[in-house]
Amino acid sequence: MFVYKVGVLGAGTMGAEIAQICAWSGLPVVLKDLNQELVEKGVARARSIFQGRVDKGKMSVEQMEQAMSNITPVTTYDEFKDVDVVIEVVKEDMAVKKAVLKELDAICQPSCIFASNTSALSISEMAAATSRPSKVVGMHFFFPAHVMKLVEVIPGLDTSEDTVQTIVELSERLRKIPIKVKEIPAFLVNRILIPQLNEAIACLDENVASARDIDIAMQAGAGMPMGPFTLADNLGLDVCLAVMEYMYKEYADAKYAPHPLLKKMVRAGRLGVKSGKGFYEYS
């Protein structure tokens, strides 16, 4: 199926960056959140990415404005009636995701594909909340979405091959590298990344090195684009904790058990960039 129009549900950092990617690729994209303030913040984030390209001489102001015109900010589902794919980027909570997919199911055209940006949760369980399980699939971008090339494409139990192929082709149109991944808790990348983050927290707690030096070591020594603590602060420590707890529950393996220091920080409200303090402090 060819995709002419995309809906992005959730105008937070990831949602805004995904909308920017779609707009830059020439796709009309509808960006929705609960209220005007949240939507405007998402649009501002998309514009800031384009402005960075303008400042570096990689695009003109006219090109930026043309790309920005592809983004339609909304607070209702009215503009979702004719979208071909909805990319869901709401809270990493199964109940929330099932609720919004159920709402979309009653509004979107029958051919519309629902693609979840979940980093860990079951696609099959989400699909069961809709009348179109063959058209529900995982489409997992990585932070920062406008920079990172990889997209995990995760079929659920009933996802059709046409749905998978459509999302693979859409990912390529967005200048991404899609890989098809089996539906398991946390999929592929996070199954490897989350234990690594947990071990980094253990090293910090044991005073092996400072957070900054651990980040430098993983960047300079392991070639990561950013260190584990910088990444965790940007994702949100509450999100990281939720993924670890989900993996520990699903796999029943001690290596996925969240480190007590992470739990302590989340309980103290130190969630990273969004709260102003995590492993680092932010003004």
Side-chain angles (χ1 to χ4, degrees):
M1 182 179 82
F2 190 79
V3 177
Y4 293 94
K5 184 178 179 181
V6 174
V8 175
L9 187 58
T13 301
M14 284 296 287
E17 291 178 0
I18 292 169
Q20 183 270 336
I21 295 163
C22 293
W24 179 227
S25 298
L27 270 169
V29 54
V30 182
L31 180 61
K32 181 189 180 299
D33 216 311
L34 295 173
N35 58 56
Q36 195 64 32
E37 181 182 357
L38 292 173
V39 173
E40 288 177 359
K41 188 175 179 180
V43 171
R45 171 60 183 154
R47 179 174 287 278
S48 72
I49 296 170
F50 283 126
Q51 186 62 54
R53 294 185 63 84
V54 172
D55 294 344
K56 293 175 183 177
K58 293 183 176 181
M59 69 187 303
S60 66
V61 173
E62 292 75 17
Q63 287 174 315
M64 176 178 71
E65 294 303 334
Q66 177 60 46
M68 283 300 300
S69 71
N70 289 326
I71 301 176
T72 303
V74 298
T75 56
T76 71
Y77 284 118
D78 293 344
E79 295 287 339
F80 279 70
K81 293 177 181 177
D82 63 344
V83 300
D84 300 302
V85 172
V86 175
I87 303 174
E88 165 273 304
V89 202
V90 300
K91 184 180 179 182
E92 189 75 344
D93 180 286
M94 181 59 78
V96 174
K97 290 183 182 293
K98 287 166 73 173
V100 297
L101 290 182
K102 191 171 183 179
E103 289 178 342
L104 287 166
D105 198 31
I107 293 163
C108 296
Q109 56 188 340
S111 61
C112 181
I113 291 171
F114 297 159
S116 175
N117 186 55
T118 179
S119 59
L121 303 178
S122 169
I123 303 302
S124 298
E125 185 175 349
M126 291 181 213
T130 76
S131 64
R132 60 182 87 192
S134 67
K135 292 190 171 294
V136 180
V137 66
M139 188 182 189
H140 182 212
F141 293 81
F142 292 86
F143 177 84
H146 66 292
V147 174
M148 301 298 283
K149 290 292 186 182
L150 185 68
V151 171
E152 290 179 323
V153 180
I154 310 105
L157 189 63
D158 297 310
T159 306
S160 71
E161 186 54 41
D162 179 67
T163 295
V164 172
Q165 191 57 36
T166 297
I167 297 304
V168 166
E169 290 172 1
L170 174 60
S171 300
E172 290 171 344
R173 283 177 66 190
L174 300 181
R175 304 178 178 88
K176 299 299 180 184
I177 301 171
I179 59 168
K180 184 177 174 181
V181 179
K182 180 181 177 181
E183 183 189 26
I184 58 171
F187 317 132
L188 174 61
V189 173
N190 278 339
R191 182 171 171 176
I192 298 169
L193 185 65
I194 290 299
Q196 182 189 74
L197 170 60
N198 222 17
E199 190 62 26
I201 296 171
C203 289
L204 177 66
D205 191 49
E206 295 166 15
N207 295 315
V208 174
S210 68
R212 190 165 300 283
D213 283 348
I214 292 171
D215 272 356
I216 291 171
M218 294 309 293
Q219 284 182 282
M224 292 180 64
M226 65 178 71
F229 298 119
T230 300
L231 177 61
D233 272 1
N234 277 278
L235 292 175
L237 302 194
D238 53 336
V239 174
C240 295
L241 177 60
V243 172
M244 285 186 194
E245 289 177 334
Y246 177 73
M247 292 177 71
Y248 183 45
K249 176 184 174 184
E250 291 292 315
Y251 285 112
D253 190 326
K255 70 182 177 184
Y256 299 119
H259 194 280
L261 177 58
L262 179 61
K263 291 182 177 181
K264 189 184 299 184
M265 292 177 70
V266 171
R267 288 168 182 160
R270 292 177 57 171
L271 308 181
V273 174
K274 61 187 173 185
S275 70
K277 192 174 185 180
F279 289 105
Y280 300 108
E281 293 191 16
Y282 305 88
S283 58

